Amino acid sequence: MTARTNEDWLRLLGEAEEAAVAELREVLHRGLRRALAGRAAADDGFIEDVTQDGVLKVLGGLTTFRGDSRFTTWAVTVAVRVAFTELRRAKWKDVSLDRLVEDAPARHPPAPPEVPSQDARQAVLAAMHRIIGTVLTDRQRQALVAEFKGMPQAEIAVQMGLTRNALYKLTHDARQSLKRGLEAAGIDGDEVRAAFDL
Amino acid sequence: MSLSPDELKELARYVLLTRPDEIGCDDWLGYAPSYAELVAALQPISEPLQKAAGHLVLCPECAEEFLALLAALKEDGAGS
Ligand SMILES: [Zn+2]
């Protein structure tokens, strides 16, 4: 394997030099095999496919390399995201986000407390239900509910037509609204921790 | 479908961790390679990088990818 500097990699891949592209492919293939070791869904065929997708993603994103790591580390990082996005989406791509969140939380008040010791938890749960149902925007609620139902962010982002960063901002704003809403309801962090044994 | 009490508990945990200045998943990806190299080499981490890595506490997907990246780097020895 050739020892290349970051500048070499950028120049040669920028020119789509054949040997450098082949070496990149080898680096990604080796990295992905290690990164995905032990995952049943990541068989040889899957690793071949995501290696190829990773090569394309790296070649298309050369200008986003910041230069503060080895080029190969950055390239493997990009390929790992490609691979995990694909792994997660494979499980969820047939699940409709609308179906997943169609039943708004506000329509489901929590069950009455069973024992007095759960009063505090029920109060926090009720406040969370109320804030999710009435304070959050429809988009915030949709993204947040889907995320905590386990839908992968990449899939939520695709179905909502958002970038990963934009989706993160949406759910971050939702969490901040929840935090403020709980505080406004007189429920502070200690009470939330105590209610849920956190 | 509403969130179950267990899902709301998990959400509550994240609400408690919520900070005003979080970075998103795409932004984190920019920091991940240098952070991974320093962690793999047991080198000191600068404060801005540590702050960026706070994303891993709030984002299970990026955390999962980061562990996989470390596995890729570890067996790579000094890297290629
Ligand atoms: Zn993330």
Side-chain angles (χ1 to χ4, degrees):
Chain A
M1 182 123 339
T2 330
R4 301 187 201 280
T5 64
N6 287 353
E7 290 69 30
D8 290 340
W9 276 112
L10 287 173
R11 181 174 51 79
L12 293 168
L13 293 176
E15 297 163 358
E17 200 252 356
E18 212 170 304
V21 174
E23 195 171 322
L24 170 66
R25 198 186 173 288
E26 205 177 311
V27 166
L28 297 190
H29 191 263
R30 194 175 60 239
L32 286 171
R33 261 206 334 259
R34 291 167 178 166
L36 300 172
R39 291 173 191 272
D43 57 15
D44 289 348
F46 177 84
I47 290 176
E48 287 293 330
D49 288 349
V50 289
T51 296
Q52 193 50 36
D53 293 346
V55 168
L56 295 175
K57 190 88 178 175
V58 167
L59 292 178
L62 292 175
T63 55
T64 65
F65 173 52
R66 297 152 54 128
D68 53 1
S69 68
R70 286 190 298 268
F71 177 83
T72 50
T73 304
W74 172 76
V76 172
T77 306
V78 169
V80 164
R81 169 148 301 179
V82 168
F84 274 87
T85 300
E86 194 50 46
L87 273 180
R88 294 178 188 129
R89 285 201 67 197
K91 279 194 264 179
W92 283 82
K93 65 180 192 303
D94 296 326
V95 180
S96 148
L97 187 107
D98 291 338
R99 276 298 295 275
L100 190 67
V101 300
E102 68 185 353
D103 218 355
R107 293 176 212 153
H108 290 264
E114 291 158 18
V115 286
S117 64
Q118 293 200 327
D119 280 359
R121 179 176 300 199
Q122 293 299 336
V124 177
L125 285 173
M128 289 177 77
H129 271 290
R130 181 183 55 75
I131 297 162
I132 291 170
T134 61
V135 177
L136 300 191
T137 66
D138 287 344
R139 302 268 288 173
Q140 287 175 340
R141 180 164 47 248
Q142 195 176 29
L144 200 69
V145 171
E147 185 177 322
F148 282 84
K149 288 279 170 208
M151 182 179 267
Q153 294 193 52
E155 185 59 27
I156 302 172
V158 165
Q159 293 200 29
M160 293 186 77
L162 295 169
T163 63
R164 281 280 289 269
N165 257 3
L167 172 63
Y168 196 90
K169 186 178 182 323
L170 191 69
T171 55
H172 178 232
D173 288 347
R175 282 187 278 116
Q176 294 209 100
S177 291
L178 257 166
K179 196 171 190 173
R180 280 194 298 269
L182 287 171
E183 283 162 6
I187 300 169
D188 65 17
D190 286 343
E191 283 173 84
V192 175
R193 267 183 285 275
F196 289 113
D197 298 319
L198 290 171
Chain B
M1 189 185 289
S2 68
L3 290 173
S4 69
D6 280 350
E7 288 161 350
L8 283 167
K9 177 180 178 176
E10 186 64 1
L11 173 56
R13 198 170 69 79
Y14 278 85
V15 167
L16 290 175
L17 291 168
T18 297
R19 300 189 320 245
D21 57 349
E22 293 172 22
I23 59 167
C25 302
D26 294 330
D27 293 333
W28 161 248
L29 208 59
Y31 294 100
S34 54
Y35 185 68
E37 286 182 353
L38 292 170
V39 169
L42 303 174
Q43 292 296 306
I45 316 275
S46 70
E47 206 177 314
L49 204 47
Q50 272 181 25
K51 204 172 161 214
H55 180 73
L56 297 178
V57 178
L58 283 149
C59 184
E61 293 184 14
C62 285
E64 183 181 37
E65 290 170 24
F66 184 70
L67 288 178
L69 175 61
L70 281 184
L73 294 186
K74 243 176 207 165
E75 296 188 36
D76 216 12
S80 46

